[in-house]
Amino acid sequence: MFKKFYQEYIPVFRKEYEGSVVKTLPLSFYQPIAYTLRNPGKQIRPAVLSAVYSSLTDSHINRSLPAALAVEMVHNFTLLHDDIMDGDVMRHGKPTVNAKWDDNTAILAGDGLFVVALEQLNAYRDNPSLYAKLMPALLSAVISVSEGQADDLEFEDRDDVSLDNYLQMVLNKTAKLLSVSAKLGACLAGADEKTCMLVENIFNELGIIFQIQDDLLELTASEETMGKSLGSDLVKKKKTYPFLYAKENLDINNWNKFVATIDKVFIEAHGVHPAIRILEENLVFDRIHELIKLRHVTIQEMINKLPSGSQKMFNSIVEFIMNRKH
């Protein structure tokens, strides 16, 4: 259901998205913004927003498009700045703005795109009470994403990061922009406050378990499926969910063995499979799979509280996102 909606929606959305900025001067400011708008990713967030909207109302999706543009612009604004911080030179198969131009240009383009994103919500100023819900929700999500990114950077140099710390970081950095997209769709559909909060909570939970699953796949899937070398997170000693779960649940002997197998010299000589084997033998992957299932049950219980006519679409969205492999 959502897959069909998504396939039909994306061409409509992209036409609006790519044509949303018409100014061209100064070129050094608007060219990188236009370049970003023409270099699309999967655009899941706007599709979720409009799908939630359509599942809760009989109105045409056109009413949801300005908000959908806004959340995707905010997403790309964060990516422009992430690419600078991470030193990335490729994004969606094309050079990043910082690589094609320079860091200063990318910072400026990101700032501009953020403002343009907020301007999209002006389409709802004809309904002040609605506008008063949409704008604060989106701004709050941007703060959460920034907090999550800050935590992620801090975690690189901290040895005291817990699973709870990690989950809060994932909630902010990964889940919040997805959940606010869904929440805006529900608000636009005229849902009451209780339903809007329920929708937001569903997608917060979905964003968290998607990231946990992604962390797990990085160690358990095939390289062909993931499109990258497996175990790269282990090589970097990145504090992912499996790493932190192992730290909190392995006995001291097995934890010390695991730490020894992710030493740089050891990995260069033996690869990452000895480390992965320790996690397998201690049932770390099995237990994380069980946790994912339990969180999935929680999502289903929340969906069951939504209006019956919308539940099929929500279940379809969950299935679509959970079945993504990268």
Side-chain angles (χ1 to χ4, degrees):
M1 187 177 188
F2 177 71
K3 184 176 181 180
K4 183 175 184 294
F5 176 92
Y6 176 72
Q7 290 170 339
E8 294 174 352
Y9 175 82
I10 289 301
V12 175
F13 175 78
R14 283 184 180 165
K15 183 178 179 180
E16 293 288 327
Y17 192 63
E18 293 175 15
S20 58
V21 177
V22 295
K23 290 184 178 179
T24 57
L25 296 175
L27 289 176
S28 60
F29 181 58
Y30 285 108
Q31 271 190 341
I33 291 176
Y35 176 78
T36 301
L37 297 178
R38 293 195 304 269
N39 189 20
K42 294 182 174 63
Q43 299 179 329
I44 296 293
R45 293 162 191 81
V48 165
L49 187 154
S50 293
V52 167
Y53 172 80
S54 68
S55 73
L56 292 169
T57 181
D58 295 328
S59 302
H60 195 276
I61 62 165
N62 283 353
R63 179 67 171 164
S64 70
L65 287 178
L69 294 174
V71 297
E72 185 64 11
M73 287 178 182
V74 165
H75 173 58
N76 278 286
F77 142 70
T78 65
L79 296 183
L80 282 169
H81 289 181
D82 280 356
D83 288 341
I84 299 166
M85 288 186 280
D86 297 339
D88 288 336
V89 296
M90 296 295 290
R91 170 74 65 181
H92 305 138
K94 294 183 179 180
T96 57
V97 171
N98 51 294
K100 186 175 176 64
W101 283 275
D102 53 48
D103 286 356
N104 289 340
T105 299
I107 291 169
L108 194 60
D111 293 344
L113 194 55
F114 176 57
V115 175
V116 173
L118 298 184
E119 287 179 338
Q120 303 307 309
L121 297 185
N122 288 342
Y124 307 109
R125 281 187 175 275
D126 61 336
N127 187 334
S129 62
L130 175 62
Y131 182 82
K133 292 179 182 178
L134 302 181
M135 183 64 80
L138 185 58
L139 291 175
S140 177
V142 174
I143 288 293
S144 293
V145 172
S146 301
E147 290 173 350
Q149 178 70 1
D151 281 337
D152 200 20
L153 290 171
E154 283 186 16
F155 289 176
E156 293 176 7
D157 301 317
R158 282 176 52 187
D159 294 323
D160 62 341
V161 179
S162 68
L163 278 173
D164 286 342
N165 295 150
Y166 179 78
L167 291 175
Q168 184 62 49
M169 182 274 290
V170 169
L171 173 64
N172 286 335
K173 183 179 177 179
T174 304
K176 280 291 185 180
L177 202 50
L178 177 66
S179 68
V180 79
S181 300
K183 181 180 181 179
L184 295 188
C187 291
L188 283 164
D192 58 34
E193 187 64 26
K194 182 179 178 181
T195 301
C196 289
M197 288 298 297
L198 180 60
V199 168
E200 183 178 22
N201 290 335
I202 289 168
F203 283 87
N204 277 333
E205 190 70 15
L206 180 59
I208 289 172
I209 64 173
F210 176 77
Q211 184 60 55
I212 295 173
Q213 178 176 271
D214 195 56
D215 287 351
L216 200 57
L217 286 170
E218 210 273 341
L219 298 175
T220 60
S222 66
E223 293 187 3
E224 292 76 18
T225 298
M226 293 299 288
K228 62 179 179 179
S229 298
L230 294 186
S232 60
D233 288 344
L234 289 179
V235 175
K236 300 173 186 174
K237 293 184 174 61
K238 192 172 181 181
K239 296 173 181 72
T240 63
Y241 194 88
F243 178 93
L244 293 171
Y245 187 91
K247 183 180 180 182
E248 293 191 9
N249 290 279
L250 292 183
D251 61 58
I252 189 66
N253 289 332
N254 279 308
W255 174 248
N256 287 336
K257 287 179 185 177
F258 175 70
V259 170
T261 61
I262 59 175
D263 178 76
K264 182 179 179 182
V265 174
F266 185 93
I267 286 179
E268 287 176 352
H270 304 284
V272 298
H273 291 291
I276 292 174
R277 194 175 306 117
I278 290 173
L279 299 181
E280 287 176 336
E281 290 172 352
N282 285 275
L283 305 178
V284 169
F285 298 150
D286 290 338
R287 290 170 181 167
I288 294 175
H289 276 301
E290 288 301 315
L291 288 169
I292 289 173
K293 289 179 182 177
L294 288 173
R295 285 180 173 270
H296 200 222
V297 169
T298 298
I299 288 177
Q300 187 59 62
E301 290 173 347
M302 288 191 285
I303 289 175
N304 290 341
K305 296 178 182 178
L306 291 170
S308 58
S310 67
Q311 291 178 17
K312 186 176 180 180
M313 177 61 85
F314 276 82
N315 283 320
S316 182
I317 294 171
V318 171
E319 180 183 0
F320 181 89
I321 291 177
M322 289 301 297
N323 285 339
R324 286 178 57 208
K325 301 302 182 187
H326 54 79

